Structures are given as structure tokens and as C-alpha cells.
Amino acid sequence: MENYLLELGNLLLRWLHVIAAIAWIGESIYFVMLDNSLSPPSAADARRGLHGEMFAVHGGGFYHNQKYLGQPPFPLDDKLHWSFWKSYATWLSGFGLFSLLYLFNASFYLVNPASPWAWAAALSGGQAALIATAFLLGGWLAYDQLCRRISPDMNRDGPLSMAVALLMTLVAYASSQIFQGRAAFLITGAVMATCMSANVLFWIIPGQRRMVRAIRAGDKPNPLDGLRGKQRSVHNTYFTLPVVFLMISNHYSFTYGNRHAWLIMVLFILSGALIRQYFVLRHSGRKRPLLPALGGLLLAGMALLAAPPPPTIAPTAPQAAADSLAASTAQKTADSLRQIHAIIQNRCLSCHSATPSQAGFVAPPAGLKFDDAQEILINAHRIKQAVASKYMPLANLTQMTQEERETLAKWGPAPGR
């Protein structure tokens, strides 16, 4: 019952996280589109403070949106719409889910015994959990300092973008060296998501509140509040697509289980930003097809990095020896299957079974069940890939030996067969 309740909590928390994220990201993308689709006002409208306007048709009706950077020609009342709860709900539910799945089971999901850094391989579960949490806080503080120091007046977006891209590259690399692959992808995405939500909490909303108070008091708002809010909002929109990928990446072991996992992360982050930039520019009437083309090239590079090595093809034997070779191969195959089945029974079945015996599991992870030989054969490539990368067994809980890993790596049909 305890495991069931944990799984139920996981489901409901994940559902809340997805609902809140869709609402937040959808609203963010809409306002970026709106901001970049505004038409310049007439001279008369500009004199009364109008920055731009957009006419739209949707859902059987017509809309007229207007944007004012300073005091609008109408009083601000209590019906003023604020956009922040969706952001907070997304981050809080995401952190709750991260805590439930990873921080509370850090020795199982975070600790990476195969880390090339000896100190990381020797971490306890509690230490790994603290470092993972420090990644979120440290990532935000580093990003915020870059924004403050490189572009304090919001006039050096180019250098700042390069610095933020470098920061996220460092996060991707460090997380992939310290933590297990799936956790590294999730933590990198969580760092970006934390920056997004913290932008709303510490800069966008406080700046807007100061602007509203100034207008209601009859004072002129500080233009830096508006510029800073716009800058952080734009950053958020470029983080969006990479974060979505990183949050769903745990379904695709060929990404996080690859020895080039950190570089795969970086390529996805850059391609997502380029694709998002294309749509941002298109809203303002500028079409740059080179941007999604470059994003596609980066994804092609990712595909090449993640691809399994080609199968080794043995030279063709003379026909005279073919029959003998076939008989010998059949016997070796049968022996190999028995050996593979024994390894999987001992090292994998505690989790990947119709009735898992490992504490904390009420169903097999990813729906993979290795109770019978047929299921093992069907998933041969996935098993080999996960074991060879040392991602599985998680934290090597079942103590799979290097010899067993090598046996699994040499066995089975070629990828794609």
C-alpha cells in the first residue's frame, strides 16, 4: 500500500506539473507573440503614450490589443491581470516531483558509481541530494549575476546570451559527470526552469508592482523596471523548448545513456533556442529560415553522436565450412541465451518484472518486463545500451560485474534487427 500511495502521489503531482507548465508556457509564448506583432501607433496615439497595437480574430470574435510603456490614458483598477501563479505552481510542483522521485531516493537515482570523478562516485545519497539542490540554487545565482554584470542596463543582449549559453554548457557537462544520466538531464532542465521561475519571482513581478504603484501615485515609472522585465521574459521564452525536451528525455535512454550525454544536451539546448528564435522573429514579420535549418543541423549532429556503433560483420566462410559453422553457432547461441537470461534474472528482474521485488516499485520501470526470454530478445538493444553505458542497474544496486556487462554487450541481434 505504501508503494501504491507513492505512485499515486507521483501521478497526481506530475499531472499538476504538466497542467501548470502548459498554462505558463502557453501564456508566455502568447505574450511574446503579442509583443512582437504590435504595429507602430499613429503620431497622435504615440503622443498619448501608445507603444503599439494589434488587431486579431479568434474564436468567432475580434480583439484589439494595445500596449503602453508608461502611464496609460485610463485608470488602473483591480481588474488588472497578473501572470505569476502559473509560474510558481509549475516550479513548486516540479520541485516536489523531483524531491519525491530523486532527492528521497538519491542513492538509487542520483549517485553515479561509474562517474569519472572519483569523489562523485563515492558520494552518499544525502550528499548527492545536497549537490543536486545546490545545482538549482547555484545555477540561478550564476545566471542572475551574469545578467546584472554583463547587461545592467539591458543593452548588451548579445554578449549576455553567449555567457548564458556557456553557463548552461558547464551545467550540462558537470551534471553529466556527477550524476546518473537521466538525473543529469533532469537537473540541467531544472536549473533552467528555476531561472525562469526566479525571473518571475524576483524581477518581473516586483518590477511590475513598482510600476503600478508609481502610476497610481501619479509618478512616472522607472523605465528600467519595464526593460528588465522584458529582458527576463525574453530569456524565459528561449529556455522553454530546451526545458521541455530535458523534462521528457528520461523516456529515451539513447540520449542520457550515451558517453557524449552532456554534448547531446548542449546540442538540444542550442537547437531549441534557434528554433524558438525563428518564431520570435517571424511574429515581427522577419523570416529567417536559416535558424530552423541550423537547429536541424544541430539535431542531426546529436543523432550521429547518439547512434549505436555499426555491427561488426564477419567475413564470409567458405561453403565447405558453412554447415559446421552453422551448427556450432546454434549451440553457442543457445548457451549464450542461457547465460544472458541468468544475468538478467540476477541483476535486472528485481525491478523489471511484472511483480517487482525492489522496494519502491509497484510496476516495472518504463513498462519493461524481463520475466520471459521473448521479452528479453525483443528489448535486446535497449538492454545492451543501458548496461554498456553503466546507467543500469541504477546505482548498480544489484552489483552487476564488469564481466557481466561485457557479456551482455557482445550478445544479441544488431541494432535495428
Side-chain angles (χ1 to χ4, degrees):
M1 179 59 69
E2 180 183 356
N3 288 342
Y4 166 72
L5 292 175
L6 285 173
E7 283 288 282
L8 180 63
N10 178 352
L11 170 64
L12 296 178
L13 201 53
R14 190 181 298 272
W15 193 25
L16 170 62
H17 184 56
V18 169
I19 291 171
I22 289 173
W24 179 25
I25 291 172
E27 190 171 66
S28 172
I29 289 176
Y30 170 75
F31 274 106
V32 170
M33 180 279 295
L34 177 61
D35 217 37
N36 285 282
S37 300
L38 296 173
S39 300
S42 64
D45 287 335
R47 283 194 293 271
R48 63 186 183 90
L50 183 64
H51 174 70
E53 59 186 344
M54 186 185 79
F55 296 88
V57 57
H58 181 75
F62 301 90
Y63 298 83
H64 182 198
N65 295 295
Q66 297 180 317
K67 180 175 181 178
Y68 297 87
L69 294 181
Q71 171 70 57
F74 50 79
L76 299 179
D77 58 24
D78 293 336
K79 295 180 180 179
L80 192 63
H81 176 77
W82 294 82
S83 299
F84 55 87
W85 280 114
K86 301 177 187 70
S87 165
Y88 304 160
T90 300
W91 191 88
L92 289 171
S93 59
F95 185 75
L97 196 60
F98 179 61
S99 299
L100 181 66
L101 296 179
Y102 288 86
L103 298 185
F104 295 161
N105 297 283
S107 59
F108 195 59
Y109 287 112
L110 292 181
V111 175
N112 180 12
S115 171
W117 297 350
W119 65 266
L123 289 173
S124 67
Q127 291 168 332
L130 285 174
I131 294 173
T133 306
F135 259 77
L136 306 188
L137 178 60
W140 153 248
L141 292 175
Y143 160 77
D144 188 55
Q145 285 300 309
L146 289 176
C147 293
R148 289 169 181 255
R149 294 178 182 278
I150 295 177
S151 186
D153 297 325
M154 280 61 68
N155 58 358
R156 301 186 67 210
D157 286 338
L160 177 57
S161 297
M162 295 295 291
V164 172
L166 178 60
L167 171 64
M168 293 308 160
T169 299
L170 292 174
V171 170
Y173 178 75
S175 65
S176 68
Q177 302 305 302
I178 297 172
F179 305 105
Q180 294 196 44
R182 184 165 59 176
F185 273 56
L186 186 66
I187 288 169
T188 302
V191 168
M192 300 175 76
T194 298
C195 292
M196 292 172 67
S197 196
N199 278 340
V200 176
L201 177 63
F202 294 114
W203 289 108
I204 297 173
I205 294 302
Q208 290 175 347
R209 292 193 187 281
R210 288 192 293 269
M211 293 173 68
V212 169
R213 283 197 298 268
I215 289 172
R216 285 177 171 164
D219 299 327
K220 185 177 180 180
N222 184 347
L224 281 180
D225 282 330
L227 292 173
R228 189 176 291 112
K230 174 69 180 297
Q231 180 195 63
R232 299 298 179 104
S233 180
V234 169
H235 287 184
N236 282 3
T237 203
Y238 290 120
F239 282 147
T240 298
L241 296 185
V243 167
V244 169
F245 160 71
L246 292 168
M247 293 305 170
I248 65 172
S249 63
N250 60 3
H251 296 288
Y252 305 98
S253 62
F254 71 89
T255 57
Y256 59 75
N258 194 282
R259 63 192 180 95
H260 301 296
W262 74 272
L263 190 52
I264 289 173
M265 270 195 278
V266 171
L267 291 176
F268 259 108
I269 290 170
L270 294 177
S271 64
L274 287 172
I275 293 168
R276 187 72 192 102
Q277 172 72 344
Y278 169 76
F279 287 102
V280 169
L281 293 178
R282 186 173 179 177
H283 293 319
S284 60
R286 293 173 288 172
K287 295 182 180 180
R288 300 289 187 272
L290 183 61
L291 291 172
L294 288 174
L297 286 175
L298 293 178
L299 292 177
M302 178 282 304
L304 290 174
L305 280 175
T312 302
I313 302 175
T316 304
Q319 185 61 42
D323 292 340
S324 175
L325 178 62
S328 174
T329 301
Q331 182 59 47
K332 288 180 180 178
T333 299
D335 293 341
S336 174
L337 279 176
R338 282 192 290 271
Q339 186 180 16
I340 294 302
H341 196 264
I343 294 173
I344 291 175
Q345 290 281 323
N346 292 331
R347 308 303 186 191
C348 308
L349 212 62
S350 58
C351 297
H352 290 285
S353 168
T355 55
S357 59
Q358 175 62 43
F361 288 90
V362 295
L368 296 177
K369 297 175 288 186
F370 303 146
D371 299 275
D372 61 74
Q374 185 63 26
E375 286 295 320
I376 294 172
L377 286 172
I378 291 172
N379 293 284
H381 177 52
R382 298 178 72 176
I383 293 170
K384 291 169 64 178
Q385 187 177 56
V387 169
S389 66
K390 296 188 177 180
Y391 180 68
M392 288 290 177
L394 286 172
N396 203 18
L397 193 68
T398 56
Q399 300 299 304
M400 180 178 285
T401 66
Q402 183 59 33
E403 182 181 2
E404 289 171 331
R405 292 183 189 277
E406 292 172 358
T407 299
L408 286 170
K410 295 174 183 176
W411 156 79
R417 295 294 301 274

